[in-house]
Amino acid sequence: MALAPLVSPGPELSRAELLRYARQMALPQIGLEGQRRLKNSRVVVLGAGGLGSPVLLYLAAAGVGTIGVVDRDTVDVSNLHRQVLHPDAAVGERKVASAAEQLRRLNPHIEVIEHDVEITPETVLDLVSEYDVVVDGTDTFDVQIIADAACALVGKPYVWGSVLRFDGQATVFWSQAPGGAARTLSDLYPDLERRGADADETCAIAGVLGPLCATVGGILASETLKLLGGYGEPLLGRLLVVDALDGTTTEVPFGTAEPATPRVANVGRPYDPFIDGPTAGGSPGPAARPRNERNTMQDDASTDSVSVSELDSLLQARARGEADFVLVDVREPHEHELVSIDGSVLVPLGGILSPEAREAVPADATVIVHCHHDGRSQRAAQALRQSGYDDVRFVRGGIDAWVAEIEPEKPRY
């Protein structure tokens, strides 16, 4: 079911614009009027990384008049294989600045707005309220929950995608879609606890095929243009699954025809995903999710964890013979080879209870475990405690925080 266009036609096109978009306007579903709608459109893209790169490039090339770019990160060389919007020369620059520069070069007829801010319950409403469509290219489940709740609250279509390894997904959420098509994130993932259990499986850890980002990002851009122009069949209530290994796509229907209930409890106030109760509508909220890479347990910090500055002091004390503990790196070998903390012992999480691990980490030892952030290290610490280790702590923020605060000359990934 095609929906009504979200945007009215804007000003007349200049001769330069008529020439630029001629092949696009040749499509009867777009035409001159549709191109004027795009010129009058405002779209914000959350994340300028692997998914955000192709989305931003194609929206800019299509002539979307105003594009907002939201990202708080910097360009990293380890991401360039999939974040094709950024050149090698931009490594170390703010992503929003790099993205905006490339988009303005690509199409001088559009306006690009830079939002160099973190997406939080306090900032999200300002980010999404002034745009016609919100496209999510982030890879953090907490951010997706916040963005979905905000879009549901203000009635904005929320174009969503995900990529990991060789698998991609794309769909459209819209709490105010007509004709029984209203959907929100909770319709796709009613069991947020199960979804949250995989939330620390990020591209940095599990890897991702670069061209898959272009495939899924192109779908997200197409869905956005369809919503703006009011043509075609949006992916409302349908999840498009892409398997790059098999070269297949599968459509999975989800949700019901009942009006979607926006989950908005956490928007507009400080948000703690581990103390907030169930979200609006009775769906299990972020509090139900296990601890993951991007959410350290602050309430356990005094007894179960150490900060990177505390670890630095402990390592210096160990070097002087004033402390005795084993620092265990539970990441994978390729991560350890890229960057490591001097004096650590590599025991990947999958083998943390193996006989080899017992030899490297005696049961009566004081143990401190770390990973990339701290999701895997928290699971490792729990497993060790359950197997009889008495004194086990994890490093808050992992080696990413260590490099940022203690050894900035080492690479981050």
Side-chain angles (χ1 to χ4, degrees), residues 25-369:
M25 290 188 293
L27 298 169
Q29 293 86 351
I30 298 180
L32 178 59
E33 182 177 281
Q35 193 63 50
R36 290 173 55 201
R37 292 185 195 277
L38 293 181
K39 183 176 182 177
N40 203 32
S41 298
R42 298 174 59 87
V43 176
V44 62
V45 179
L46 310 180
L51 281 179
S53 288
V55 172
L56 288 164
L57 286 168
Y58 276 107
L59 293 181
V64 172
T66 302
I67 299 175
V69 185
V70 183
D71 207 304
R72 190 69 176 125
D73 205 355
T74 57
V75 179
D76 188 278
V77 68
S78 67
N79 295 325
L80 293 182
H81 81 285
R82 70 186 186 280
Q83 299 182 3
V84 295
L85 179 59
H86 308 287
D88 186 77
V91 170
E93 293 182 9
R94 306 303 301 180
K95 276 188 180 177
V96 290
S98 171
E101 180 181 1
Q102 299 304 316
L103 296 178
R104 290 168 184 143
R105 287 180 177 178
L106 175 64
N107 190 345
H109 303 288
I110 66 171
E111 178 184 4
V112 183
I113 301 176
E114 302 173 32
H115 299 283
D116 192 352
V117 297
E118 185 177 359
I119 302 168
T120 69
E122 293 78 21
T123 63
V124 67
L125 288 177
D126 288 338
L127 292 174
V128 306
S129 296
E130 299 303 317
Y131 292 89
D132 302 304
V133 176
V134 178
V135 185
D136 195 332
T138 65
D139 63 356
T140 307
F141 197 57
D142 287 343
V143 171
Q144 295 166 6
I145 290 173
I146 294 169
D148 170 69
C151 290
L153 183 64
V154 298
K156 303 291 185 179
Y158 176 50
V159 181
W160 177 91
S162 175
V163 290
L164 191 68
R165 300 186 181 92
F166 296 92
D167 302 313
Q169 301 177 348
T171 190
V172 176
F173 304 115
W174 191 6
S175 65
Q176 296 184 9
R183 298 290 190 276
T184 63
L185 185 64
S186 59
D187 290 302
L188 180 59
Y189 291 111
D191 185 354
L192 290 182
E193 182 173 358
R194 184 176 66 181
R195 165 61 176 166
D198 296 328
D200 58 357
E201 283 284 283
T202 63
C203 294
I205 297 169
V208 62
L209 183 68
L212 177 64
C213 297
T215 300
V216 176
I219 294 169
L220 302 184
S222 295
E223 291 300 306
T224 302
L225 297 181
K226 286 157 59 178
L227 290 167
L228 296 171
Y231 60 87
E233 183 80 14
L235 281 173
L236 285 161
R238 298 181 294 138
L239 179 70
L240 189 63
V241 181
V242 180
D243 186 328
L245 273 180
D246 293 342
T248 61
T249 58
T250 306
E251 182 182 301
V252 181
F254 68 91
T256 67
E258 297 298 322
T261 302
R263 295 181 293 103
V264 299
N266 297 320
V267 173
R269 65 171 176 81
Y271 164 70
D272 187 332
F274 300 109
I275 63 174
D276 283 333
T279 52
S283 299
R289 298 194 302 106
R291 307 166 185 180
N292 64 43
E293 285 269 8
R294 299 183 182 274
N295 291 283
T296 55
M297 292 293 292
Q298 297 298 330
D299 53 338
D300 290 345
S302 61
T303 58
D304 291 346
S305 66
V306 296
S307 68
V308 292
S309 61
E310 290 170 330
L311 175 62
D312 187 31
S313 297
L314 286 169
L315 286 170
Q316 294 180 41
R318 190 177 71 172
R320 297 191 300 267
E322 299 171 1
D324 185 18
F325 63 93
V326 180
L327 176 62
V328 180
D329 183 346
V330 298
R331 297 174 302 150
E332 295 302 309
H334 72 274
E335 297 176 89
H336 183 83
E337 184 176 348
L338 177 64
V339 58
S340 63
I341 300 175
D342 293 341
S344 62
V345 176
L346 177 64
V347 182
L349 178 61
I352 194 66
L353 299 181
S354 66
E356 294 79 10
R358 289 281 183 176
E359 292 183 8
V361 188
D364 59 351
T366 295
V367 182
I368 301 176
V369 292

